[in-house]
Amino acid sequence: MQGQSVREISAAERQLRPLVVIVVAANFAVTALLLTTVQLAPPAPAPGIVALR
């Protein structure tokens, strides 16, 4: 019985492996896209310039 359940797990693993690879690759792609589109805040002006305004 245990041998059969191990074979079933292996079959399920083989079937799901491509899906897992696609999901992980999509996750990396979305992360890279978000990191390239993040707009950082401009640097804070120097205190002396702010005082003159």
Side-chain angles (χ1 to χ4, degrees), residues 32-51:
L33 180 65
L34 289 175
L35 286 175
T36 57
T37 58
V38 169
Q39 294 182 359
L40 300 176
I49 296 173
V50 173

Side-chain angles (χ1 to χ4, degrees), residues 19-35:
L19 180 63
V20 170
V21 170
I22 290 170
V23 168
V24 170
N27 190 6
F28 282 138
V30 169
T31 301
L33 180 65
L34 289 175
L35 286 175

Side-chain angles (χ1 to χ4, degrees), residues 1-15:
M1 277 207 178
Q2 187 176 1
Q4 184 179 5
S5 64
V6 171
R7 274 185 253 137
E8 289 174 6
I9 292 172
S10 296
E13 181 181 331
R14 269 183 272 138
Q15 289 176 346

